Amino acid sequence: MVKVTVAGAAGGIGQPLSLLLKLNTNVSELALFDIVNAKGVAADLSHINTPAKVTGYQPENKEDKTAITEALKGTDVVIIPAGVPRKPGMTRADLFNINASIIRDLVANIARTAPKAAILIISNPVNSTVPIAAQVLRKLGVFDPTKLFGVTTLDSVRAETFLGELTNTNPQKLKGKISVIGGHSGDTIVPLINYNSSVPVLNKSQYDEFVHRVQFGGDEVVKAKNGAGSATLSMAYAGYRFAEYLIDTLSGGPNNYKVPDSAYIYLPGIEGGKEFSAKYLGGIEFFSVPVVLNHGQTVSFINPFEQLRVSEDENKLIKVALNGLKGSIDQGVEFVNASKL
């Protein structure tokens, strides 16, 4: 059985994500942490008749560090949706200054209290927050690249949904047939649809529309909510989808995904990843690729250039993505290097 800690459990993503986790019968304990309202959310979820024990932790004041420590003790998986949401006119890069400190401090606590836990980072901008987490773990001497994942699954969820709409296909039947690689913002997101002959073919205008919607689908939600929030429910579902994949493998379940969901990972820490980065990515070290999990760890990844038949159009998108990723990665690393832990 698996203990899961959600950091940011009372927020717009955290609450529906925690609900989904409570429904997972492989979760034995669900620890909810937030700076406010975590105990209320925990009390609410604890009334649901599934096995997971639910506990809530929130600090008594700004100086109280015991709540996060208690939430993390003995945990197997930490999921981090903590941070502020995007607002109209705000780019993911604008989120950096606000969310970077939150991620830095949470990951430092994980490093000290639960250094062997798998960490799933949802907090945006993922292109930077994952390098922040990696650098914190590295500085504290506990970095295991097989246990750090940037959750980019929402891009896959959107790709399946939007392609299904364009082609009148049940989007659930497209899972495992579309892979989304790159990063997790705007034109760093690259959906791959050309490798699988069972995926419906799009004409040029449909393809361009599809790619744009996958890359900028978040803007649709921000606009539709009139500034009152960003993608929370769909992100909670997507975050749970990857978490479920991880929890299943931690619980001894089989990995039977032909093409599993991608995650934004530190490639040099994965077997073959350094060579992959040098050959195809110009040395970019963080990149979202389909990851194959076994007993909760990344044991391999699917090389899209060799196994997913990347098309000429997709190669052009990848080149644009690589140009956008380097600055975000460097920004995250430099932020931690300038910080005291």
Side-chain angles (χ1 to χ4, degrees):
M1 302 299 283
V2 179
K3 176 180 177 179
V4 180
T5 299
V6 180
I13 297 171
Q15 289 199 44
L17 173 62
S18 298
L19 171 60
L20 292 169
L21 289 162
K22 178 68 169 85
L23 302 180
N24 189 315
T25 55
N26 286 322
V27 176
S28 55
E29 185 175 352
L30 183 58
L32 307 183
F33 172 83
D34 212 320
I35 56 173
V36 294
N37 300 330
K39 292 183 179 179
V41 175
D44 196 357
L45 290 180
S46 70
H47 294 182
I48 295 174
N49 62 337
T50 54
K53 175 185 176 183
V54 186
T55 51
Y57 304 88
Q58 59 196 59
E60 297 295 330
N61 50 57
K62 291 183 178 180
E63 288 71 38
D64 180 11
K65 307 299 181 185
T66 61
I68 184 62
T69 300
E70 290 300 314
L72 291 170
K73 281 183 179 178
T75 197
D76 301 293
V77 180
V78 184
I79 309 175
I80 308 179
V84 299
R86 226 168 14 131
K87 297 178 182 178
M90 180 187 288
T91 66
R92 292 180 189 272
D94 293 331
L95 294 178
F96 178 83
N97 289 330
I98 302 171
N99 288 345
S101 296
I102 296 173
I103 295 300
R104 178 197 62 200
D105 296 344
L106 282 171
V107 173
N109 277 294
I110 296 168
R112 295 181 176 115
T113 306
K116 294 184 178 181
I119 304 171
L120 279 58
I121 294 183
I122 293 173
S123 307
N124 276 318
V126 166
N127 293 354
S128 295
T129 53
V130 174
I132 286 172
Q135 193 66 2
V136 168
L137 295 166
R138 186 181 287 111
K139 288 183 76 171
L140 294 176
V142 295
F143 182 34
D144 180 352
T146 69
K147 292 190 175 182
L148 178 64
F149 308 92
V151 178
T152 61
T153 321
L154 181 54
D155 303 325
S156 296
V157 169
R158 285 176 173 150
E160 293 160 11
T161 301
F162 300 156
L163 184 61
E165 290 175 0
L166 278 170
T167 61
N168 196 30
T169 303
N170 181 341
Q172 291 183 318
K173 293 183 178 180
L174 295 173
K175 183 178 180 181
K177 298 179 181 179
I178 304 175
S179 191
V180 183
I181 65 172
H184 186 54
S185 67
D187 56 15
T188 69
I189 300 168
V190 181
L192 306 179
I193 62 172
N194 294 296
Y195 69 90
N196 195 314
S197 59
S198 65
V199 173
V201 177
L202 302 178
N203 62 40
K204 183 64 167 66
S205 63
Q206 287 177 320
Y207 178 75
D208 290 343
E209 176 190 348
F210 167 73
V211 170
H212 185 270
R213 283 198 78 193
V214 174
Q215 291 183 332
F216 299 98
D219 293 344
E220 293 183 18
V221 180
V222 171
K223 183 178 179 180
K225 290 188 175 181
N226 293 318
S230 58
T232 53
L233 299 175
S234 55
M235 184 64 250
Y237 167 77
Y240 175 72
R241 179 162 127 173
F242 190 80
E244 182 182 37
Y245 175 31
L246 177 67
I247 292 165
D248 282 351
T249 59
L250 281 171
S251 303
N255 184 339
N256 53 8
Y257 297 90
K258 183 176 181 181
V259 182
D261 281 335
S262 298
Y264 189 65
I265 58 174
Y266 179 68
L267 286 165
I270 309 300
E271 183 177 355
K274 185 175 182 180
E275 295 77 11
F276 170 78
S277 172
K279 183 175 181 179
Y280 296 104
L281 308 180
I284 293 292
E285 295 183 328
F286 291 88
F287 200 76
S288 185
V289 287
V291 295
V292 180
L293 303 179
N294 183 30
H295 303 301
Q297 293 189 339
T298 306
V299 294
S300 62
F301 63 93
I302 292 176
N303 183 332
F305 297 92
E306 295 180 0
Q307 295 168 267
L308 303 184
R309 299 203 306 271
V310 175
S311 70
E312 183 179 345
D313 285 337
E314 291 166 347
N315 258 318
K316 291 177 182 177
L317 294 173
I318 291 168
K319 289 179 181 178
V320 174
L322 292 173
N323 288 333
L325 282 174
K326 187 177 187 307
S328 297
I329 294 166
D330 290 345
Q331 186 181 29
V333 172
E334 290 165 6
F335 174 80
V336 178
N337 287 342
S339 301
K340 290 184 179 180
L341 298 178

